[in-house]
């Protein structure tokens, strides 16, 4: 089942719009702060915050079946 979960996570990440996926991975994998994400992606902090929020919501909704 963990293989299925890993594939579901991979698919859910791939399905995110690029800006959301980028923001999510910069925080989750690279450990960047909100300000650092905004700087790295060339957007304001509020936009970076929104992208993270929407990414988390989509991932949560997509992965609910595995909870």
């Amino acid at each position: 089942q963990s293989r299925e979960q890993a594939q579901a996570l991979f698919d859910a990440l791939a399905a995110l719009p690029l800006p959301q996926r980028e923001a999510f991975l910069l925080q989750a994998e690279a450990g960047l702060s909100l300000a650092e994400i905004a700087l790295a992606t060339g957007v304001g902090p509020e936009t970076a915050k929104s992208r993270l929020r929407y990414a988390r919501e989509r991932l949560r909704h997509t992965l609910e079946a595995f909870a």
Side-chain angles (χ1 to χ4, degrees), residues 1-2 6 8-9 15-17 20-21 23 27-28 31-32 36 38-39 48 51 53 55-56 58 61-63 65 67:
Q1 185 179 12
S2 73
L9 177 58
L16 289 174
Q20 291 176 18
R21 183 170 59 242
Q27 185 180 57
L32 270 58
E36 292 169 326
L39 185 62
R51 289 177 178 177
R53 185 184 75 221
R56 287 188 198 113
R58 286 184 73 156
H61 176 73
T62 303
L63 300 172

Side-chain angles (χ1 to χ4, degrees), residues 31-44:
L32 270 58
S33 69
L34 194 56
E36 292 169 326
I37 293 168
L39 185 62
T41 57
V43 299

Side-chain angles (χ1 to χ4, degrees), residues 3-67:
R3 184 179 206 152
E4 289 177 12
Q5 289 174 334
Q7 186 62 49
L9 177 58
F10 180 81
D11 292 345
L13 285 170
L16 289 174
L18 181 59
Q20 291 176 18
R21 183 170 59 242
E22 181 179 48
F24 181 82
L25 291 174
L26 284 171
Q27 185 180 57
E29 294 297 319
L32 270 58
S33 69
L34 194 56
E36 292 169 326
I37 293 168
L39 185 62
T41 57
V43 299
E46 289 302 314
T47 299
K49 186 176 180 179
S50 292
R51 289 177 178 177
L52 281 170
R53 185 184 75 221
Y54 288 122
R56 287 188 198 113
E57 286 176 6
R58 286 184 73 156
L59 290 171
R60 187 177 302 116
H61 176 73
T62 303
L63 300 172
E64 278 180 344
F66 291 95

